Amino acid sequence: MDSDSDGATGDTVPPIDTERYTGTLRTGGTVVLGADRLVVDRGDGPVVIDLDDVVEVSLQDIDWFLAVMSAALVGFGLLSFDRSVLLGGVFAVAGIVSLALTYRKRYALRIQVTGRTDPLRCFPAEPQALLTELEAALAD
């Protein structure tokens, strides 16, 4: 299970005084970048990150290896139809589902934070705008 909680709860989140960026997430929720912190609220409680704790920020494009392998799985399923319609259909459907999931996870903003083993991943509606603002805030 993907747990991005760092101990902050919705009742203890201090307000952000100066907003540099406010946007929505593709998966539902909001992201707010302030002068000194980033708040990602996916609906299950906000995750608050101090910008001083951010180690690295990157924008992950689509996973091309997984996309190509999924397309190959669809092709294998279609080519297998003449031997077994059921088995070929299962392979083709599995490849289509894998392609859909891979496409849905495109442009993930990965934020590596001090004290966390795995990076915080979010899917902003405008990933390049948030990345630009976040890099500018980190440079200040």
Side-chain angles (χ1 to χ4, degrees), residues 52-55 112-117:
D52 295 334
D53 296 337
V54 174
V55 176
Q112 185 66 43
V113 181
T114 303
R116 291 179 59 114
T117 57

Side-chain angles (χ1 to χ4, degrees), residues 20 50-52 54-57 133-140:
R20 294 180 70 133
D50 289 329
L51 293 182
D52 295 334
V54 174
V55 176
E56 180 183 4
V57 178
E133 284 295 324
L134 191 54
E135 286 176 342
L138 292 173
D140 291 344

Side-chain angles (χ1 to χ4, degrees), residues 9 13 18 26 46 53 65 77 80 98 112 118 126 128 131-133:
T9 61
V13 176
T18 307
R26 286 192 327 247
D53 296 337
F65 177 76
S80 299
S98 180
Q112 185 66 43
D118 57 338
E126 299 172 341
Q128 193 60 46
L131 178 65
T132 303
E133 284 295 324

